[in-house]
Amino acid sequence: MNEALLQVDNLKKYFPIKGGVLQRTVGYVHAVENVSFYVRKGETFGLVGESGCGKSTVGRTILRLYDKDGGKVIFKGKEVHLLNRKELAQLRPKMQIVFQDPYSSLNPRMTVGDIVGESLIEHGRCNKHNVKQYVLDLIKRCGLLPYHIDRYPHEFSGGQRQRIGIARALALDPEFIVCDEPVSALDVSIQSQIINLLSDLQKEFGFSYLFISHDLSVVKHVSHRIGVMYLGSMVETAEKKELFQNPLHPYTKALLSAVPVPDPTVKMDRIILTGDIPSPANPPSGCKFHTRCPYAMEKCKKENPAMEDMGNNHIVACHLI
């Protein structure tokens, strides 16, 4: 393994469930449980899984938008969740995020110039006199026009708003960007434009991305390596080509079988999973996938499988392998 820019080890994040008149904690939602992976410099790590599996929570906990409940998040050799306020303020510019909904993530009372330039002034990169030119350069690089700088978010389309969000993320010269389903709210034609923009920016500046998505075809296009999550846990990670040509975990095989192929002569061998996704507030014992897995054994119901390296940097958690 090359030296990792970001290393996540056994990350845990639980959300309390409140109940009763006094709103006491009656349980916990196990949103993220023992998730481990790494991201190299200049690499895109794709994180996929069904909605509600904890992908976005992983991204936000890495950035310390949520406090972790266990594990480690190490960025450039420093444990992010152990930094004091001053150290965290110095780290913030290096770790940024592009949110899923480009409209709700933008302040409707601020112009594009203020949205993109706010962090530059806050971190002392620019002053009020020279910030405008810096912002103009940024938004033009992201495909917007100079006169857009004085407009408000409601005056833009979804794709343009996402470009504003990307420009804001780029403002402080980050090294690592969490892309939290950045194209899922956009039309297909606009999706390709935003994906190409992110790829071009990565080639130019050498960013590392954590690209979160439920769309495997998008992840295949942008990622170097891919991790598959199910019900808060990582079940498989591999290089992109290896994962698509040789999926090992039954859940990964089911996800890949659902990816449409643009050829009507190709007959898809679709794997239909039975049953409902268990509640993360009351996850099943043993392997979390055993309630829906067609190959589940008695061992799967009792023992949680560990992540094992099967060669070619292909790591999977499954008793069958």
Side-chain angles (χ1 to χ4, degrees):
M1 181 184 79
N2 295 342
E3 187 177 349
L5 179 73
L6 175 79
Q7 180 77 44
V8 178
D9 290 325
N10 297 317
L11 185 64
K12 296 181 182 180
K13 177 60 188 174
Y14 304 151
F15 292 104
I17 302 170
K18 303 290 184 179
V21 177
L22 299 178
Q23 287 294 290
R24 290 194 176 101
T25 300
V26 296
Y28 289 91
V29 173
H30 295 234
V32 177
E33 191 143 37
N34 295 325
V35 167
S36 300
F37 63 92
Y38 63 91
V39 184
R40 303 185 190 104
K41 186 173 178 60
E43 178 184 60
T44 299
F45 184 84
L47 196 58
V48 300
E50 293 168 293
S51 295
C53 72
K55 306 184 299 294
S56 295
T57 304
V58 168
R60 293 175 183 229
T61 308
I62 287 171
L63 297 178
R64 205 168 152 179
L65 298 179
Y66 296 146
D67 289 327
K68 67 180 175 69
D69 290 302
K72 295 180 180 179
V73 179
I74 300 170
F75 181 75
K76 298 185 72 175
K78 295 181 179 180
E79 164 55 281
V80 174
H81 287 261
L82 295 181
L83 300 179
N84 60 37
R85 194 169 182 176
K86 184 179 179 181
E87 292 170 328
L88 188 60
Q90 294 172 344
L91 180 70
R92 286 288 185 209
K94 298 300 180 184
M95 304 174 77
Q96 295 291 311
I97 184 169
V98 177
F99 292 98
Q100 178 177 359
D101 185 351
Y103 188 60
S104 64
S105 67
L106 303 175
N107 190 330
R109 292 186 173 88
M110 294 173 69
T111 63
V112 170
D114 291 335
I115 289 170
V116 178
E118 182 183 30
S119 61
L120 292 165
I121 296 172
E122 179 70 25
H123 286 271
R125 299 291 180 93
C126 296
N127 57 44
K128 292 182 179 179
H129 303 292
N130 63 5
V131 69
K132 184 174 181 179
Q133 186 55 51
Y134 197 96
V135 171
L136 280 171
D137 293 340
L138 267 174
I139 65 171
K140 283 193 284 185
R141 194 180 291 273
C142 292
L144 297 169
L145 298 172
Y147 65 84
H148 288 149
I149 197 171
D150 295 317
R151 292 192 173 184
Y152 291 86
H154 72 272
E155 299 179 80
F156 294 92
S157 67
Q160 288 174 319
R161 289 177 195 143
Q162 198 59 287
R163 290 176 187 272
I164 297 168
I166 293 169
R168 179 177 59 183
L170 297 184
L172 295 171
D173 297 323
E175 295 181 42
F176 173 73
I177 300 176
V178 174
C179 299
D180 186 7
E181 305 217 31
V183 297
S184 64
L186 307 177
D187 295 335
V188 175
S189 59
I190 306 300
Q191 284 184 11
S192 61
Q193 295 176 20
I194 298 300
I195 289 169
N196 289 336
L197 171 63
L198 290 169
S199 298
D200 292 343
L201 290 169
Q202 185 179 50
K203 290 174 185 175
E204 184 175 354
F205 296 105
F207 304 132
S208 297
Y209 290 135
L210 173 62
F211 195 95
I212 297 167
S213 179
H214 60 268
D215 190 336
L216 274 162
S217 58
V218 171
V219 171
K220 183 180 181 181
H221 183 73
V222 302
S223 302
H224 298 95
R225 290 185 305 114
I226 298 173
V228 181
M229 283 187 68
Y230 179 79
L231 205 65
S233 298
M234 194 78 80
V235 297
E236 188 167 2
T237 65
E239 302 288 335
K240 174 179 65 176
K241 186 176 180 181
E242 171 72 14
L243 188 83
F244 276 83
Q245 291 184 352
N246 183 34
L248 297 178
H249 198 281
Y251 178 63
T252 308
K253 293 178 181 179
L255 285 181
L256 292 177
S257 76
V259 177
V261 176
D263 185 349
T265 62
V266 176
K267 186 175 181 181
M268 298 297 295
D269 187 14
R270 182 79 168 89
I271 300 174
I272 306 295
L273 296 177
T274 59
D276 296 324
I277 302 174
S279 169
N282 186 28
S285 60
C287 175
K288 293 180 180 180
F289 187 60
H290 84 258
T291 58
R292 303 174 72 198
C293 180
Y295 313 107
M297 305 176 292
E298 197 62 33
K299 184 180 182 180
C300 302
K301 301 175 183 178
K302 299 175 182 177
E303 295 181 27
N304 189 26
M307 294 288 279
E308 299 284 351
D309 193 335
M310 297 293 117
N312 293 328
N313 203 23
H314 194 156
I315 303 172
V316 63
C318 183
H319 292 305
L320 292 166
I321 309 304

